[in-house]
């Protein structure tokens, strides 16, 4: 672990302006990616086209070096890679032309290791798309993966020169690689559903007993258990909305219909509602939590989504918790952000064996997560947390900066752990 104190040892580099926004633009619902500048990851350079970009800061407006090409390369089972036979080191542009009768994925690979330098997904028959990469000395080959057919690797092309001139590459992560991660994470969630049930029962008992002070004390520990489980929310189905749905805007909560879950109870506890008016919402919350605990052993996580979830947890934190959109009176957004960080780290612990050899910036990500944890911990003591609206400008900027840079460095995790075909 790196020292969480930025003053002890070397401080991580400051994030470039707009880095969090860049990371958020890297993904569309359903996991599709669009143009973005991500460190050491497959990066879109056109619809469905990915190449590897080097890490490090720098303006997103910086112009890349002039590329050589385009070189037309055929994509088909019988002539994969035809058209490319030689190249000088440096930036390259390949015009990938699918001459077959079915859609295909195309990877530019190191034929010895399988590491991928660039990727085009969903190349339709009769279409051409560009792939842009930077290549140093070494051996390269195109791999064509037609839909519903085996992969075909084209001829190897050797480029003279130093291999250090190449852009980063990563060995593909497969569905098989991710299955043990999913099973381990599913078991971890199982233990959390038990803890969540116990904590929620404490909250319900306090409300049933009419002890609203005790209920306020019990609300946050129960809520934070759920917030640490963020990578599994999609698998929870309707239970997520019943337990921790986004709800209305805080200013509209008083008149909102179908407002349920932790935030409904939060609103009542911090806006003077009586215990009798909160017994119904607390009972429905408890029943939803118990139902989740009982049904969870029959659910199955999608292994292919785990890398994406590692990025999404803190991305959602930046969009919701750090904007106050989910504060219904308790003023505990920073506590929630800290719990979200715990959830991110739990998933990263399980993904780490896959990332260690694929993500050179993993130590830098660890350093920023340490820094973010240190920053957030400075606003909580003894179960009491500083509300967002009481942060000074400098503290607010520091929280946003730390979380934003962590989000940016997590974006490559989503891309690297996107399960890919290799055969």
């Amino acid at each position: 672990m790196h020292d969480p104190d930025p003053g002890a040892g070397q401080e991580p580099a400051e994030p470039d302006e707009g880095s969090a926004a860049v990371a958020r633009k890297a993904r569309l619902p359903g996991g599709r990616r669009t143009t973005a500048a991500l460190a050491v990851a497959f990066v879109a350079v056109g619809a469905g086209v990915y190449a590897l970009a080097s890490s490090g800061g720098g303006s997103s407006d910086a112009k890349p070096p002039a590329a050589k090409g385009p070189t037309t390369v055929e994509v088909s089972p019988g002539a994969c890679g035809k058209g490319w036979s030689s190249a000088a080191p440096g930036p390259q542009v390949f015009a990938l032309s699918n001459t077959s009768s079915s859609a295909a994925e195309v990877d530019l690979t190191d034929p010895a290791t399988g590491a991928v330098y660039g990727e085009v997904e969903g190349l339709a028959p009769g279409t051409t798309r560009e792939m842009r990469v930077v290549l140093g000395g070494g051996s390269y080959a195109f791999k064509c993966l037609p839909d519903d057919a085996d992969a075909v690797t084209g001829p190897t092309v050797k480029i003279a020169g130093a291999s250090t001139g190449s852009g980063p590459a990563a060995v593909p992560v497969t569905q098989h690689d991710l299955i043990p991660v999913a099973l381990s994470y599913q078991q971890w969630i199982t233990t959390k559903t038990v803890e969540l049930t116990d904590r929620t029962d404490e909250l319900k008992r306090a409300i049933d007993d009419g002890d609203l002070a005790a209920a306020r004390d019990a609300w946050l520990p129960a809520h934070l258990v759920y917030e640490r489980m963020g990578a599994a929310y999609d698998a929870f189905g309707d239970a997520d909305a019943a337990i921790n749905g986004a709800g209305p805007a805080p200013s509209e909560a008083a008149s909102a219909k179908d407002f349920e879950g932790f935030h409904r109870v939060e609103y009542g506890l911090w806006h003077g509602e009586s215990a009798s008016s909160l017994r119904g919402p607390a009972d429905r919350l408890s029943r939803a939590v118990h139902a989740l605990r009982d049904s969870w052993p029959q659910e199955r996580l999608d292994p292919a989504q785990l890398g994406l979830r590692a990025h999404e947890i803190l991305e959602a934190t930046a969009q919701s918790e750090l904007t106050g959109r989910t504060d219904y009176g308790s003023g505990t957004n920073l506590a929630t952000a800290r719990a979200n960080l715990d959830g991110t780290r739990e998933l990263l612990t399980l993904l780490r064996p896959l990332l260690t050899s694929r993500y050179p910036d993993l130590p830098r990500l660890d350093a920023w997560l340490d820094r973010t944890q240190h920053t957030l911990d400075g606003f909580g003591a003894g179960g009491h947390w500083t509300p967002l609206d009481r942060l000074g400008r400098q503290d607010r900027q520091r929280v946003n900066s730390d979380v934003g840079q962590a989000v940016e460095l997590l974006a490559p995790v989503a891309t690297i752990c996107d399960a890919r075909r290799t055969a």
Side-chain angles (χ1 to χ4, degrees), residues 401-421:
S401 173
D402 288 356
V403 172
Q405 183 64 14
V407 168
E408 181 177 357
L409 290 168
L410 282 163
V413 173
T415 312
I416 292 169
C417 293
D418 186 9
R420 289 175 166 80
R421 284 182 59 191

Side-chain angles (χ1 to χ4, degrees), residues 83-237:
W84 185 46
S85 58
S86 64
Q92 315 283 333
V93 179
F94 298 105
L96 303 176
S97 178
N98 187 351
T99 60
S100 72
S101 59
S102 64
E105 176 184 319
V106 190
D107 295 343
L108 179 61
T109 69
D110 178 338
T113 66
V116 177
Y117 289 87
E119 175 185 64
V120 171
E121 293 181 331
L123 184 61
T127 62
T128 299
R129 291 215 298 265
E130 287 189 348
M131 174 190 289
R132 296 175 180 266
V133 292
V134 178
L135 302 179
S139 296
Y140 305 92
F142 280 100
K143 177 180 283 189
C144 303
L145 300 100
D147 288 357
D148 303 319
D150 292 339
V152 177
T153 300
T156 296
V157 174
K158 294 183 178 180
I159 297 178
S163 61
T164 53
S166 295
V171 175
V173 170
T174 67
Q175 186 91 351
H176 180 75
D177 294 328
L178 291 166
I179 288 173
V181 178
L183 292 175
S184 295
Y185 189 72
Q186 181 136 0
Q187 184 57 46
W188 184 79
I189 291 293
T190 297
T191 64
K192 287 297 172 185
T193 62
V194 175
E195 182 182 359
L196 176 66
T197 302
D198 292 342
R199 292 285 192 179
T200 305
D201 286 347
E202 292 178 17
L203 170 62
K204 181 178 181 299
R205 281 195 297 270
I207 292 174
D208 287 344
D209 292 343
D211 190 342
L212 296 184
R216 283 188 287 271
D217 289 340
W219 181 87
L220 183 60
H223 183 236
L224 295 186
V225 174
Y226 192 80
E227 290 290 344
R228 294 185 182 101
M229 300 159 64
Y233 287 170
D234 275 6
F236 292 163

